[in-house]
Amino acid sequence: MTEKIAVSLWRGRAQDRYQLYEVQLRENQTVLDVVTFVQRHLDATLAYRFACRVGMCGSCAMTVNGRPRWTCRTHVAKVIDRGRLKIGPLENLPVIKDLATDMAPFFEKWQQAKGAFAPSRTRSDPIERIPPGGAARMAADAAIECINCGICYAACDTVRWNADYLGPAALNRAWSLVNDQRDAGNPARLAAVAASGGCHACHSHQSCQEHCPQALNPTASIAGLKRRTTLAYLRGELKA
């Protein structure tokens, strides 16, 4: 007999329900394969989001058996629980429909944290050389591989409790720019991340570090921002 998986998928919006489907278990099957099978063969109305399927874009992130994951890189064999899978949308984000969430709040907070590079030179100026072994460059390197998939945001307890909290990804991005010697936006950026809902709201639970598919440590970046903003305050660069 072919082994089957009992797959519970979230259907509807925030106040709706899980619906059960039966899917054949296959070798090397990913959770995204399961969701795609349901949409193509069992229920064409299922809404979900994906793009690259190879762990590069992060758009297929969902909650799988209670944990936020990239579904394209999550093999069923590693997460199945007694023949069952429970797949829902990312937490801490509004649900558009079924497994697709609205990422607008996530990116709005990224903007609030001044996550855009502010150039200190024009294109007519010579390119500034940054030594790869410098302390600032190494600090920026440690945070730069974030692809904004939203996994850390969905896993963050502080985001769940505090609607104003900027979140791990936005603050991680701010830390990488704080350490970019070419950037001229630090006065406004430090003021933004030091404000209510900024880096000092983090409780250092490290859920972001535990769940990050890129093995980044946003908690360390946030700790760096706490030190840097405190120093800026002591120097009179920030107002209380």
Side-chain angles (χ1 to χ4, degrees):
M1 178 182 295
T2 304
E3 189 173 353
K4 301 283 187 177
I5 314 170
V7 183
S8 296
L9 296 179
W10 182 258
R11 302 306 311 272
R13 300 191 71 178
Q15 302 301 322
D16 288 286
R17 79 290 179 200
Y18 282 93
Q19 185 170 333
L20 186 64
Y21 300 89
E22 194 174 72
V23 177
Q24 183 177 339
L25 180 64
R26 298 181 183 275
E27 188 176 0
N28 296 322
Q29 186 177 34
T30 67
V31 173
L32 183 58
D33 291 334
V34 169
V35 175
T36 300
F37 180 87
V38 171
Q39 196 273 337
R40 292 182 180 177
H41 300 284
L42 303 179
D43 191 340
T45 67
L46 176 66
Y48 67 110
R49 186 183 289 123
F50 75 98
C52 72
R53 300 181 69 96
V54 292
M56 295 296 291
C57 70
S59 61
C60 69
M62 303 173 200
T63 303
V64 182
N65 286 355
R67 182 185 178 102
R69 297 177 179 271
W70 288 351
T71 55
C72 70
R73 282 196 173 184
T74 301
H75 285 83
V76 170
K78 294 184 177 180
V79 294
I80 194 169
D81 182 14
R82 291 172 291 182
R84 293 180 172 272
L85 282 178
K86 188 175 183 180
I87 307 170
L90 287 180
E91 296 185 8
N92 299 335
L93 289 163
V95 179
I96 298 173
K97 181 177 183 284
D98 302 338
L99 304 173
T101 54
D102 184 357
M103 298 293 289
F106 173 84
F107 287 110
E108 285 168 359
K109 290 181 177 180
W110 195 87
Q111 291 177 316
Q112 290 170 29
K114 308 297 182 185
F117 177 74
S120 58
R121 297 189 179 192
T122 70
R123 64 179 62 193
S124 300
D125 295 323
I127 296 174
E128 186 172 0
R129 296 188 177 185
I130 308 296
R137 176 64 203 187
M138 293 176 70
D141 277 348
I144 207 169
E145 293 298 328
C146 174
I147 63 171
N148 291 311
C149 65
I151 291 283
C152 62
Y153 192 88
C156 181
D157 294 326
T158 307
V159 170
R160 187 172 294 109
W161 302 331
N162 184 351
D164 295 328
Y165 181 50
L166 296 175
L171 293 170
N172 183 77
R173 170 63 178 173
W175 177 243
S176 70
L177 290 174
V178 163
N179 288 285
D180 192 328
Q181 295 166 244
R182 305 164 301 166
D183 185 272
N186 272 344
R189 185 173 298 115
L190 291 174
V193 302
S196 176
C199 60
H200 296 283
C202 173
H203 289 209
S204 302
H205 288 173
Q206 290 200 295
S207 296
C208 51
Q209 183 272 334
E210 179 185 348
H211 291 81
C212 179
Q214 296 285 76
L216 302 182
N217 188 353
T219 306
S221 298
I222 295 168
L225 287 176
K226 290 178 180 179
R227 294 190 298 270
R228 183 65 181 84
T229 53
T230 300
L231 182 60
Y233 172 73
L234 294 174
R235 289 174 172 173
E237 298 168 3
L238 290 176
K239 295 181 180 179

